[in-house]
């Protein structure tokens, strides 16, 4: 049973990576920011749900350094 769950998780994540590739998140052409990394990670975790219309987005507010 554990092996089956492991296989399902791996397949789920591979589908998520494919979705991230299709959306252009892993091409390296964009600047790396909290927003872009968050969107990429959520797309990979959402896996097959991306193909059902789920489009996860992240809003990040990183504090600016004091002057």
């Amino acid at each position: 049973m554990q092996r089956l769950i492991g296989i399902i998780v791996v397949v789920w994540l591979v589908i998520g990576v494919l979705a991230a590739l299709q959306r252009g998140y892993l091409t390296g052409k964009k600047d790396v920011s909290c927003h872009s990394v968050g969107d990429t990670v959520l797309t990979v975790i959402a896996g097959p749900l991306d193909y059902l219309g789920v489009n996860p987005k992240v809003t990040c507010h990183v504090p600016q350094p004091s002057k």
Side-chain angles (χ1 to χ4, degrees):
M1 185 66 174
Q2 288 178 341
R3 186 176 184 154
L4 177 63
I5 292 172
I7 290 171
I8 290 171
V9 168
V10 169
V11 169
W12 184 277
L13 293 175
V14 167
I15 292 171
V17 168
L18 292 174
L21 281 170
Q22 288 178 341
R23 290 184 180 183
Y25 292 152
L26 302 175
T27 59
K29 295 179 183 176
K30 296 181 180 179
D31 292 332
V32 176
S33 66
C34 174
H35 174 74
S36 64
V37 171
D39 286 348
T40 303
V41 170
L42 279 179
T43 299
V44 171
I45 291 172
L49 297 177
D50 292 314
Y51 294 106
L52 297 176
V54 175
N55 189 10
K57 295 291 181 185
V58 172
T59 14
C60 295
H61 299 286
V62 179
Q64 298 296 320
S66 59
K67 294 181 181 181

